[in-house]
Amino acid sequence: MPELPEVETSKNGLLLLIVGQVVDAVYLWRDNLRWAIPTHLNTTLARQVVCGVGRRGKYLLIEFEVGILIIHLGMSGSIRVVNRNVELQKHDHFELVFENGKSMRLNDPRRFGAVLFSTNGIHPLLDNLGVEPLEDEFDANYLYTKSRKKHLAIKAFIMNSKVVVGVGNIYACESLFKSRIDPRRPAGKVTKKCYQLLTQNIKSTLSEAILAGGTTLQDFTKIDGTPGYFAQDLYVYGRENKPCFICNGKITRITQNQRATFYCPQCQI
DNA sequence: CTTGTCACCTGAGCGC
DNA sequence: TGCGCTCAGGTGACAA
């Protein structure tokens, strides 16, 4: 579910709601998600003040003086901030209760997400991550240089978090469509001119999705539990056999690396 | 090193 | 209603 815009949407919500708040209690409603949740968090974070909320790729970073709480939403995770007396929902796995009576809850049905902790600001999962797509260093030259001699498909290339973080299945499909690039093209054969288009379209697609509050297909909700509205702006994702908005041809669905790819065979070459 | 596949897990939707 | 099947926003670990 959550790609970069969804994580950014969650981050922005948390910035408003939990920065400056003091942790009253930490609840681990189960001991693991994708990995074990550090059991010491209830003592480590007690009485700690949230000093900031950040994001690296699709990782949410909740900053304390004693370290950083690292949260990943996996495929089906979402975060809500509610009053602490609100009843727990099914799949609420982790909870930070604050002294102001609010509670931040991580809900994740499929449990591909993660809750981790770093005392020194570094973590193996955050090492070796590629550039942020909305930063200036992510440009045509970067992708062009990185892709030379690569034989894998352009779609897999831009979804590789060691190249650029935060571009998931939806936005990869959408950005390639807007750039009129066939998702199957070998990354190493894509011209710099095409990469110019592609980097611009990745940036604009992600930015617009952030403004719309992310894409809600099934699980994702914003901090207040309401859905994002970017789904109504999708050109190809989930539109198999529907007419292309540009040429009226049929949107096609193929499988690449066991992930669905949607594209227009007429427009994308 | 590069590329592709599997695994992790629950739930929705569909055909029968 | 219910069963069995397919599919779903991610990504680390491993195989070839």
Side-chain angles (χ1 to χ4, degrees):
Chain A
M1 114 324 127
E3 298 187 32
L4 186 145
E6 290 71 45
V7 180
E8 182 73 10
T9 298
S10 298
K11 185 201 84 177
N12 290 335
L14 291 177
L15 275 175
L16 293 172
L17 293 172
I18 71 168
V19 171
Q21 297 303 323
V22 179
V23 174
D24 185 48
V26 181
Y27 293 104
L28 283 66
W29 297 116
R30 61 175 294 125
D31 60 9
N32 73 299
L33 291 172
R34 186 169 186 187
W35 296 286
I37 301 175
T39 49
H40 64 79
L41 286 178
N42 51 9
T43 49
T44 304
L45 295 182
R47 307 288 140 224
Q48 288 290 312
V49 182
V50 176
C51 19
V53 181
R55 178 186 62 73
R56 177 74 176 97
K58 294 174 192 167
Y59 292 93
L60 268 175
L61 309 173
I62 300 181
E63 297 151 17
F64 298 90
E65 252 178 40
V66 290
I68 300 177
L69 187 67
I70 302 167
I71 296 179
H72 197 287
L73 299 177
M75 287 277 261
S76 58
S78 58
I79 286 183
R80 296 180 69 180
V81 175
V82 297
N83 288 324
R84 66 182 298 170
N85 56 4
V86 168
E87 199 177 337
L88 279 182
Q89 291 189 1
K90 193 175 184 184
H91 306 303
D92 279 346
H93 303 308
F94 178 81
E95 179 173 19
L96 282 185
V97 178
F98 299 102
E99 290 185 350
N100 70 350
K102 300 287 184 185
S103 172
M104 185 200 89
R105 293 173 184 173
L106 173 63
N107 186 282
D108 184 6
R110 291 177 73 182
R111 308 205 301 269
F112 291 168
V115 175
L116 301 161
F117 193 73
S118 164
T119 50
N120 55 9
I122 61 173
H123 192 281
L125 292 179
L126 303 179
D127 279 350
N128 308 317
L129 284 181
V131 301
E132 287 287 334
L134 298 177
E135 299 289 319
D136 289 342
E137 59 183 332
F138 178 66
D139 62 10
N141 276 326
Y142 175 79
L143 279 190
Y144 179 79
T145 308
K146 268 242 165 195
S147 63
R148 288 314 88 183
K149 313 235 164 135
K150 300 254 189 228
H151 295 170
L152 81 172
I154 179 76
K155 186 194 176 217
F157 178 67
I158 60 171
M159 286 182 71
N160 181 350
S161 63
K162 288 178 184 164
V163 175
V164 54
V165 293
V167 182
N169 205 31
I170 298 177
Y171 301 111
C173 291
E174 294 299 309
S175 303
L176 287 166
F177 172 77
K178 290 187 187 174
S179 308
R180 307 187 63 130
I181 300 169
D182 187 321
R184 300 166 299 177
R185 269 168 68 186
K189 295 204 175 145
V190 174
T191 62
K192 192 180 282 192
K193 201 172 172 182
C194 281
Y195 276 124
Q196 179 64 43
L197 256 183
L198 185 57
T199 48
Q200 284 172 358
N201 282 320
I202 287 173
K203 285 172 192 285
S204 63
T205 306
L206 292 174
S207 304
E208 286 162 23
I210 291 168
L211 287 177
T215 302
T216 294
L217 296 182
Q218 284 185 27
D219 304 301
F220 178 74
T221 61
K222 293 184 282 183
I223 286 295
D224 60 2
T226 60
Y229 289 104
F230 193 71
Q232 44 205 7
D233 296 321
L234 298 177
Y235 286 83
V236 287
Y237 188 87
R239 298 194 65 249
E240 184 182 14
N241 292 330
K242 295 199 169 135
C244 170
F245 292 132
I246 305 300
C247 75
N248 223 33
K250 256 191 189 181
I251 300 300
T252 300
R253 182 205 141 118
I254 58 171
T255 300
Q256 292 180 289
N257 302 87
Q258 300 155 162
R259 307 296 301 274
T261 297
F262 298 89
Y263 76 111
C264 174
Q266 273 72 244
C267 295
Q268 293 173 256
I269 53 174

